[in-house]
Amino acid sequence: MSSANTFKNVKRVNEGFEIIKSEYYNERYEIVLGQLRAESGNIILYVTWECMNEQSYFWGHYFPTAGLNAREKALKDYHTRLAKNYDNMIW
């Protein structure tokens, strides 16, 4: 099991979102954090997804930057999702 992403020098994009953080919680599944930029370059949306085999993204949680602390909320969700999946592996 890899605890950090294996593609540090490879840019991953899904549905226009750049994947900026990821961590595997077993051999095939990971939690990812992505950000979407407007044409102006400003980040307008964050997302966390579960991902299978670095290509199938599902169960997205979205955090618009119009809301306060969107990045912090997305990071908290990212870590919460990882913790829940690690906990589920124990049982």
Side-chain angles (χ1 to χ4, degrees):
M1 177 178 5
S2 173
S3 64
N5 64 29
T6 57
F7 54 86
K8 289 187 180 212
N9 297 321
V10 177
K11 183 177 178 179
R12 278 171 58 189
V13 177
N14 182 57
E15 296 183 13
F17 287 83
E18 178 184 2
I19 306 305
I20 58 173
K21 190 170 182 66
S22 72
E23 188 167 335
Y24 282 86
Y25 58 87
N26 72 26
E27 294 295 323
R28 295 175 52 202
Y29 292 91
E30 62 184 317
I31 300 296
V32 302
L33 172 65
Q35 64 185 18
L36 179 65
R37 292 185 181 271
E39 287 185 21
S40 66
N42 294 332
I43 298 168
I44 57 173
L45 193 60
Y46 290 98
V47 64
T48 62
W49 281 301
E50 291 212 30
C51 182
M52 182 177 70
N53 297 326
E54 295 185 7
Q55 57 188 312
S56 179
Y57 298 82
F58 52 95
W59 293 330
H61 298 174
Y62 295 84
F63 303 88
T65 56
L68 295 175
N69 304 317
R71 180 174 167 73
E72 291 80 9
K73 289 178 183 177
L75 280 167
K76 181 178 179 181
D77 185 66
Y78 172 86
H79 290 290
T80 299
R81 292 178 83 166
L82 274 174
K84 284 181 181 177
N85 281 294
Y86 281 131
D87 286 347
N88 288 339
M89 288 174 53
I90 294 171
W91 303 104

